[in-house]
Amino acid sequence: MRSGSGSGRRPPRRSRVADNVVSVLSAWNDGPAKSAILDFVARVTEQGGPDFVPTDERIAVFDHDGTLWCEQPLQIQFFFAQDRLKELALEYPPLAERQPFKAFMEDDFRTIADYGKQDMFEVMLETHSGLSIEAFQRIVAAWLETARHRELDRPYLACVYQPQLELLDHLRANGFKTFIVSGGGIDFVRVFTQQAYGVPPEQVIASSLKVRCEIHDGRVQLIKESEIHLFNDRDVKAHQIARHIGRRPILAFGNSDGDLAMLRYVATGEGARLALLLHHDDGIREFAYDREFRLSALAEALDRAEEYGITLVGMKDDWKTIFSSTA
Amino acid sequence: MRSGSGSGRRPPRRSRVADNVVSVLSAWNDGPAKSAILDFVARVTEQGGPDFVPTDERIAVFDHDGTLWCEQPLQIQFFFAQDRLKELALEYPPLAERQPFKAFMEDDFRTIADYGKQDMFEVMLETHSGLSIEAFQRIVAAWLETARHRELDRPYLACVYQPQLELLDHLRANGFKTFIVSGGGIDFVRVFTQQAYGVPPEQVIASSLKVRCEIHDGRVQLIKESEIHLFNDRDVKAHQIARHIGRRPILAFGNSDGDLAMLRYVATGEGARLALLLHHDDGIREFAYDREFRLSALAEALDRAEEYGITLVGMKDDWKTIFSSTA
């Protein structure tokens, strides 16, 4: 029934490509951001073209909080910390009596909003240490099954952005290897990146605590200590990309000044590069914020995007759909 | 011309598997080590079997120096350091006048053999810092093209072990993802792991120096500092496997006490596990050594292998061929 002069075993090449382009990035509105992405991917995959990049070197890195899923009113990991703190306070009530823990115990988000990194680290260290990585991850997995985002009224894994899922798929369909480069805790994030984004644990780079080897019941366990090994933010993101991946990526996507070093590291490599910055400017469908979000502000990257060769993506205009319906 | 009752499009299934088993690990002699490997791989890949492991979780980790390639009379990276030291001393002669550099300048391996880690670190820091990762790797690549192992009289990339190349291939053919977990310097090792072992840079975990971001000619460069970020040895190997891979591997292969924590971490996981320890006991075809090799001794792991559930591989009896002829 098929027209065309081929052997009949495969559809004509041109129409297949066209089908593919029509169906990808359907949650993105047509506009400069979507065009920049489609053009970039077409250029680096064009065999024999001037910007062709071999498959091995097609590395894409994505920030996590605020880039792949919602980070308002606080990064989701803090809500996990809050629930875990309430559990721990049942066993040790004095924990609830002093700051910064008290504010979390009492849902006092006005006080929390004024906390700097040191207070927030203290909450994370208290709630993320003293047990093995494997035991910790079982707790996170159980929490994700029932916890819900209060303002968006949906499970946390349904707070991931549909346009980004499509972009990750489009990149992988074109031979890219996709990595997540998060300021969040590595043992937390890795629990769900395969399920939520199709990114396996070994392609997740993130913040980590010190660990120690202990033998329990004859098994070596890695115990999480209450001391930071590495906070994966700003320049450290570029350092860690080099240490973990060992190649300069050709595409990066972030949403805050914490991603700027990574975006510039990627944007200033040789050959074709694409650095993308998501601006949360849709207060109706999501949250509108940038420089006033104390825990992860967006200011310099926004002000100097053009100078740094960074392509802006506006959630309001560039995204047709915000949240995934399939998570 | 093919016999058999199928459509003629593919060979009968059973004979294909048999062919495969006959041809794999041909540089290994039949014996308990080879059997342990073949049995383990068969068990974890047997769909519906009691020891079946899904593809995603088939992670194998290999130490590098002394496990995948020769490490005598010193780890090969020290010969690179030596040649680089001679280059640097041309620009700055006083470097050659004091220890530990003097011994390297003068090929004084008797003195070098007595050095502990601190002296050796000093040589590594001096010769591996003060330039970008990318510039450093170009120097390593150029060095590898001409440098030769003096005693074995062959290029360094021909000092890799043929039985291990076959094992890596066999694992990957059975859905394993293979990682290298080396005490060596990460920017050094990554230059050749794809070519030598089929292991891409992002699947290499190793020691690293601190780095800093600097902008040169408008490009972000990561500059290697003369300070250790992380020495990937002993317990740190287990820590780094957890941080980098995020899953407990099911197979590990090492050759020294520096690998013991990694071997035990892997061996004591739940389900089917295989931990292998290479013993350099072939003084004719390679080098015979264990507890007296000060830089990377093998003592506890050898003495307690059985107690720890570690399978010994003797180079003399278990390996038919030692070195790769194709590198």
Side-chain angles (χ1 to χ4, degrees):
Chain A
M1 304 294 279
R2 195 184 290 115
S3 64
S5 58
S7 68
R9 295 204 177 165
R10 47 177 75 172
R13 194 134 178 259
R14 183 173 300 275
S15 81
R16 191 172 193 180
V17 170
D19 285 351
N20 191 33
V21 169
V22 168
S23 66
V24 299
L25 304 192
S26 61
W28 290 70
N29 288 317
D30 291 335
K34 181 173 178 174
S35 294
I37 291 168
L38 292 175
D39 288 355
F40 176 78
V41 173
R43 282 190 291 126
V44 300
T45 55
E46 189 201 343
Q47 197 95 32
D51 291 326
F52 178 75
V53 175
T55 317
D56 277 359
E57 293 166 29
R58 290 182 206 154
I59 304 279
V61 289
F62 285 75
D63 167 58
H64 187 225
D65 293 309
T67 297
L68 293 180
W69 73 348
C70 179
E71 63 172 355
Q72 290 296 332
L74 283 179
Q75 287 89 347
I76 290 168
Q77 194 174 354
F78 286 113
F79 294 102
F80 166 75
Q82 183 184 38
D83 288 345
R84 178 131 174 85
L85 196 64
K86 289 174 181 174
E87 291 280 323
L88 293 174
L90 293 177
E91 294 162 37
Y92 182 69
L95 194 61
E97 289 161 23
R98 68 176 182 88
Q99 298 295 14
F101 309 115
K102 193 162 178 285
F104 277 87
M105 291 296 294
E106 295 171 353
D107 288 335
D108 177 4
F109 286 95
R110 195 163 304 180
T111 300
I112 291 170
D114 284 335
Y115 281 148
K117 276 184 183 150
Q118 216 43 57
D119 290 310
M120 298 305 256
F121 281 154
E122 205 177 330
V123 172
M124 290 315 221
L125 291 174
E126 184 65 38
T127 53
H128 286 61
S129 65
L131 72 179
S132 73
I133 292 175
E134 290 166 6
F136 174 79
Q137 292 194 314
R138 285 191 292 269
I139 293 171
V140 175
W143 178 80
L144 281 171
E145 281 184 17
T146 58
R148 294 175 70 85
H149 192 292
R150 287 170 240 189
E151 295 185 43
L152 298 174
D153 191 28
R154 47 172 60 214
Y156 286 116
L157 292 190
C159 297
V160 306
Y161 302 136
Q162 179 63 24
Q164 302 293 54
L165 298 183
E166 294 177 1
L167 175 53
L168 288 164
D169 280 344
H170 181 57
L171 292 171
R172 289 189 291 251
N174 283 279
F176 278 75
K177 203 163 181 175
T178 53
F179 287 80
I180 291 173
V181 181
S182 175
I186 195 154
D187 303 321
F188 179 84
V189 180
R190 278 177 170 159
V191 169
F192 55 89
T193 54
Q194 178 71 56
Q195 179 190 342
Y197 310 111
V199 175
E202 62 268 26
Q203 285 163 225
V204 177
I205 302 169
S207 298
S208 55
L209 300 183
K210 289 195 189 300
V211 290
R212 64 173 183 273
C213 293
E214 279 188 6
I215 297 184
H216 294 267
D217 300 329
R219 295 190 192 281
V220 176
Q221 294 292 357
L222 293 176
I223 307 299
K224 291 166 71 72
E225 300 189 338
S226 62
E227 190 181 340
I228 292 170
H229 169 66
L230 200 141
F231 180 44
N232 195 44
D233 193 32
R234 299 188 176 263
D235 281 13
V236 178
K237 285 200 170 186
H239 305 170
Q240 283 297 99
I241 287 170
R243 285 196 193 107
H244 190 112
I245 305 177
R247 291 193 241 246
R248 200 189 286 239
I250 65 169
L251 183 149
F253 210 139
N255 80 305
S256 79
D257 286 355
D259 302 317
L260 188 50
M262 165 177 102
L263 293 170
R264 297 193 69 195
Y265 175 55
V266 169
T268 64
E270 286 178 44
R273 305 278 159 166
L274 184 62
L276 298 150
L277 181 73
L278 181 63
H279 189 204
H280 292 263
D281 56 2
D282 191 329
I284 309 289
R285 297 184 299 167
E286 206 233 12
F287 299 91
Y289 64 98
D290 45 50
R291 53 197 88 226
E292 76 285 3
F293 183 41
R294 191 167 169 198
L295 283 174
S296 184
L298 170 61
E300 182 186 354
L302 188 62
D303 298 339
R304 302 180 70 177
E306 194 176 334
E307 175 191 343
Y308 293 155
I310 294 168
T311 300
L312 270 179
V313 176
M315 195 176 259
K316 188 156 153 277
D317 292 334
D318 287 316
W319 284 4
K320 193 178 295 175
T321 312
I322 305 285
F323 295 110
S324 161
S325 55
T326 58
Chain B
M1 303 296 279
R2 195 185 289 114
S3 66
S5 58
S7 68
R9 294 202 177 168
R10 47 177 73 173
R13 193 133 178 261
R14 184 174 297 276
S15 81
R16 191 174 193 178
V17 170
D19 286 352
N20 192 34
V21 169
V22 169
S23 67
V24 297
L25 304 193
S26 61
W28 290 70
N29 288 317
D30 291 335
K34 181 173 177 172
S35 294
I37 292 168
L38 292 175
D39 288 355
F40 176 77
V41 173
R43 281 192 290 127
V44 300
T45 54
E46 188 200 344
Q47 197 94 33
D51 292 325
F52 179 75
V53 175
T55 316
D56 277 359
E57 293 167 28
R58 291 182 206 156
I59 304 279
V61 289
F62 285 75
D63 167 59
H64 186 223
D65 293 309
T67 296
L68 293 180
W69 73 348
C70 180
E71 63 172 354
Q72 289 297 330
L74 283 178
Q75 287 89 345
I76 290 167
Q77 195 174 354
F78 287 112
F79 293 102
F80 166 75
Q82 184 184 38
D83 288 346
R84 178 133 173 85
L85 195 64
K86 289 174 179 173
E87 292 281 322
L88 294 173
L90 293 176
E91 294 162 36
Y92 182 68
L95 194 60
E97 289 161 23
R98 68 177 182 89
Q99 298 295 14
F101 309 114
K102 194 162 176 285
F104 277 87
M105 291 296 293
E106 296 171 351
D107 289 335
D108 178 5
F109 286 96
R110 193 162 306 178
T111 299
I112 292 169
D114 284 335
Y115 281 149
K117 276 186 183 148
Q118 216 42 57
D119 290 309
M120 297 306 256
F121 281 155
E122 206 177 328
V123 172
M124 290 318 222
L125 292 173
E126 183 65 39
T127 53
H128 286 62
S129 64
L131 72 180
S132 73
I133 292 175
E134 290 166 7
F136 174 79
Q137 292 194 315
R138 285 191 292 271
I139 293 172
V140 175
W143 179 80
L144 280 171
E145 281 183 17
T146 58
R148 295 175 69 85
H149 193 291
R150 286 171 241 188
E151 295 184 45
L152 298 174
D153 191 28
R154 47 171 60 214
Y156 285 116
L157 292 190
C159 297
V160 306
Y161 302 136
Q162 179 63 24
Q164 302 292 55
L165 297 184
E166 294 177 2
L167 175 54
L168 288 164
D169 280 345
H170 182 57
L171 292 171
R172 289 189 292 250
N174 283 280
F176 278 75
K177 203 162 181 177
T178 53
F179 288 80
I180 291 173
V181 182
S182 175
I186 195 154
D187 303 321
F188 178 84
V189 180
R190 278 177 169 159
V191 169
F192 55 89
T193 55
Q194 179 71 56
Q195 178 190 343
Y197 309 111
V199 175
E202 62 269 25
Q203 285 163 226
V204 176
I205 303 168
S207 298
S208 55
L209 300 183
K210 289 194 188 301
V211 290
R212 65 174 183 273
C213 293
E214 280 188 5
I215 296 183
H216 294 268
D217 300 329
R219 295 190 192 282
V220 177
Q221 295 292 356
L222 294 176
I223 307 298
K224 292 165 71 71
E225 300 189 339
S226 62
E227 191 181 340
I228 292 170
H229 169 67
L230 201 141
F231 180 44
N232 195 44
D233 194 31
R234 300 188 175 264
D235 282 12
V236 178
K237 284 200 171 187
H239 305 170
Q240 283 297 99
I241 287 170
R243 286 196 192 106
H244 190 112
I245 305 178
R247 291 194 241 246
R248 199 189 286 240
I250 64 169
L251 183 149
F253 209 139
N255 80 305
S256 79
D257 286 354
D259 301 317
L260 188 51
M262 164 177 103
L263 293 169
R264 296 193 70 194
Y265 176 54
V266 169
T268 64
E270 285 178 44
R273 304 280 159 164
L274 185 62
L276 297 151
L277 180 74
L278 181 63
H279 188 204
H280 292 262
D281 57 2
D282 191 330
I284 308 289
R285 296 185 300 169
E286 207 233 10
F287 299 90
Y289 65 97
D290 45 50
R291 55 196 87 225
E292 76 286 2
F293 183 41
R294 191 166 169 200
L295 284 173
S296 185
L298 170 61
E300 182 186 353
L302 189 62
D303 297 339
R304 303 180 69 176
E306 195 176 333
E307 174 190 344
Y308 292 156
I310 294 168
T311 300
L312 270 179
V313 177
M315 197 176 259
K316 188 156 153 276
D317 291 335
D318 287 316
W319 285 4
K320 193 179 295 176
T321 313
I322 306 285
F323 295 110
S324 161
S325 56
T326 58

